[in-house]
Amino acid sequence: MNRYINIALNKFESVPVSLRLDPDQDIAAEKCLVDLARLYHHYYLDSYGRRPPYPEPSQFEYLRFLAETRDFRILGGGIGDSTAKKRNASTELGQAFCRWFLSEHLNITYFAHMDKVLDKDPVDEFEGFKVLRVENGDAPDYLCAENMYSVYLAEAKGRYKSINFKNREFEAWRKQFSRVEVRDKDNTLRSVKGYVVGTRFATEENSSSVNSGIFAEDPQSPGDLKLDDFTASQVYRKIQKVHFADIFEKLNQPLVAAALIMNSVISDQLRIQAVTWRLALDSVGQMEFVGGYWKTSPGDLPFSLKQDGSISTYPPDPFRLDHGRGVFIGLERKVFESVCRSVRTNEAEKRPIAQPIEDIPPFYSAISLLRDGSILGPAEFFIPTGFIEV
């Protein structure tokens, strides 16, 4: 479930340790390994609302278009028969690779699509912070964050043609950062560090010397001063709210999702109910998740409620081997509870609404766990443990 992809960096102060030939030397490797389950995880979070992850991370919907090679290479001449379809598919994959690259190698955990923050009226909680369009044309794709003091803009591109840092297309992508401004409560123009991540996709029709590659650069948006710590912390909370609203929508928690987006409050009289699960493997210790599964094939899964309200995990017909299949989506329990608590008060808290979990390396090709606490995997690998109310 892994593929290699070439890496090219430009204007980085130092090479991320995970991309170095030697951790102690500031020299970049020529290529890196892509975990396709995590790539799919980012694609799913980025692309869909309350829809099933089809069918599961180990069967990334674009996986059937990949050649049986060690490098990331697409069958034929690209995905789709028409130019429009190829462009749409390359854009979606480009955004997935952008999120994957920033998350895996630059520790960026939370992502908000620009259309959810651009030209929105500032609210009191964010002390007048705003992102404004100042020029027509494409704007960067994301406002994203590593922590309370590290906020970034990011632009994602995907294409089949050659990419390099000196060609006309890359220069046009850089200019997108000049089309937006970040201003604080005093209307001071603030400079925000950004990343352009362009991914070139090689196909079977290319020669073997042409490989898929990620071309990453870190330009800055225009500004008089760097983003101050106070404003950055407020921007961070906004990014987290948009990020988790997308996840809570997928968890069938529309009330929490709406409260996060609208900066609203849920009454204590309305309890947020959910099911807790644990992974049947010991790879994540005693970690619990809140979520559920989408059924992806006919037949019953071995999860049901008994008459006394307890949970049964015994197959309804243990003699049969053709049980149904499903895909589980969940959020680490402490993260879930922290986000839920954040929509119980309208106080302008200065702390994050949730903390990232410990980064756990990939441990099974069909399961993906990200630092935001979200997890995807086959339902049969998860066991329900009980119910919670927050």
Side-chain angles (χ1 to χ4, degrees):
M1 284 302 296
N2 296 326
R3 295 288 194 278
Y4 280 101
I5 192 166
N6 287 3
I7 297 291
L9 306 178
N10 191 39
K11 299 182 180 178
F12 277 68
E13 293 182 2
S14 63
V15 176
V17 174
S18 59
L19 293 175
R20 294 181 180 184
L21 278 172
D22 182 330
D24 296 324
Q25 297 183 19
D26 191 25
I27 301 174
E30 292 184 356
K31 61 180 64 179
C32 70
L33 203 61
V34 179
D35 180 84
L36 296 184
R38 287 200 180 190
L39 179 67
Y40 173 84
H41 195 147
H42 284 286
Y43 170 78
Y44 173 62
L45 293 183
D46 194 69
S47 301
Y48 295 116
R50 187 175 173 269
R51 286 184 56 184
Y54 178 77
E56 61 185 52
S58 65
Q59 297 296 319
F60 183 17
E61 63 189 82
Y62 283 132
L63 187 63
R64 65 184 184 274
F65 296 107
L66 295 186
E68 292 293 332
T69 56
R70 295 191 67 189
D71 66 315
F72 192 93
R73 187 173 296 273
I74 294 172
L75 293 170
I79 301 171
D81 293 329
S82 68
T83 300
K85 177 59 179 176
K86 287 183 178 180
R87 183 181 298 116
N88 182 64
S90 64
T91 296
E92 290 181 341
L93 277 175
Q95 290 179 332
F97 265 103
C98 175
R99 288 183 59 145
W100 171 85
F101 176 82
L102 296 178
S103 175
E104 292 291 310
H105 300 293
L106 296 174
N107 210 40
I108 295 174
T109 303
Y110 306 106
F111 296 83
H113 271 284
M114 187 60 68
D115 60 359
K116 295 184 178 179
V117 295
L118 188 62
D119 292 330
K120 305 297 183 184
D121 290 334
V123 292
D124 291 340
E125 180 186 359
F126 305 113
E127 301 292 336
F129 145 74
K130 50 191 175 290
V131 182
L132 302 173
R133 180 187 295 278
V134 294
E135 185 180 324
N136 291 331
D138 291 338
D141 289 302
Y142 302 104
L143 192 60
C144 49
E146 175 184 356
N147 54 48
M148 289 187 70
Y149 310 109
S150 300
V151 174
Y152 309 97
L153 294 166
E155 168 61 18
K157 292 295 182 183
R159 56 180 294 170
Y160 293 103
K161 295 181 180 179
S162 175
I163 295 176
N164 65 69
F165 297 114
K166 295 182 179 180
N167 65 13
R168 183 173 55 188
E169 287 82 359
F170 212 100
E171 179 60 31
W173 301 341
R174 293 184 187 104
K175 290 181 179 179
Q176 293 185 203
F177 289 81
S178 65
R179 294 184 182 133
V180 297
E181 290 181 349
V182 178
R183 292 186 177 272
D184 64 16
K185 62 183 178 63
D186 299 318
N187 206 38
T188 300
L189 184 60
R190 295 284 182 172
S191 177
V192 178
K193 187 178 179 65
Y195 293 99
V196 178
V197 182
T199 308
R200 190 267 173 91
F201 303 113
T203 72
E204 284 188 316
E205 292 184 358
N206 296 130
S207 70
S208 59
S209 62
V210 176
N211 296 297
S212 295
I214 292 176
F215 296 76
E217 186 179 280
D218 58 348
Q220 298 223 138
S221 71
D224 302 323
L225 297 170
K226 289 185 178 180
L227 199 65
D228 63 286
D229 287 349
F230 176 78
T231 304
S233 68
Q234 302 310 300
V235 178
Y236 178 64
R237 281 175 54 83
K238 176 63 174 177
I239 294 169
Q240 281 195 311
K241 287 194 171 188
V242 174
H243 182 97
F244 282 114
D246 289 340
I247 292 176
F248 271 73
E249 182 181 358
K250 293 172 176 63
L251 295 177
N252 197 25
Q253 295 285 349
L255 188 61
V256 178
L260 289 167
I261 289 294
M262 298 171 62
N263 191 37
S264 187
V265 175
I266 297 176
S267 168
D268 283 338
Q269 295 178 334
L270 295 174
R271 308 309 297 169
I272 301 167
Q273 299 178 326
V275 180
T276 57
W277 304 68
R278 66 177 175 83
L279 189 63
L281 304 171
D282 62 1
S283 305
V284 297
Q286 299 302 308
M287 190 179 294
E288 277 193 310
F289 302 93
V290 176
Y293 68 83
W294 291 89
K295 200 171 178 181
T296 58
S297 70
D300 295 324
L301 284 164
F303 310 126
S304 61
L305 284 177
K306 298 179 181 179
Q307 289 186 343
D308 62 3
S310 61
I311 297 174
S312 171
T313 58
Y314 194 69
D317 186 349
F319 298 103
R320 298 187 60 173
L321 299 178
D322 59 341
H323 297 303
R325 291 178 59 84
V327 56
F328 178 83
I329 175 172
L331 188 64
E332 195 272 333
R333 178 173 179 166
K334 292 179 182 178
V335 175
F336 182 92
E337 292 174 335
S338 179
V339 175
C340 289
R341 287 194 296 269
S342 76
V343 297
R344 293 293 190 190
T345 174
N346 58 6
E347 295 179 1
E349 300 180 51
K350 308 308 179 189
R351 66 175 186 270
I353 66 172
Q355 295 289 348
I357 67 169
E358 179 185 353
D359 194 6
I360 298 174
F363 53 87
Y364 182 69
S365 64
I367 298 174
S368 172
L369 174 62
L370 302 183
R371 278 192 310 277
D372 61 7
S374 61
I375 189 167
L376 290 176
E380 53 267 34
F381 281 74
F382 295 82
I383 302 170
T385 57
F387 302 90
I388 60 169
E389 284 191 352
V390 185

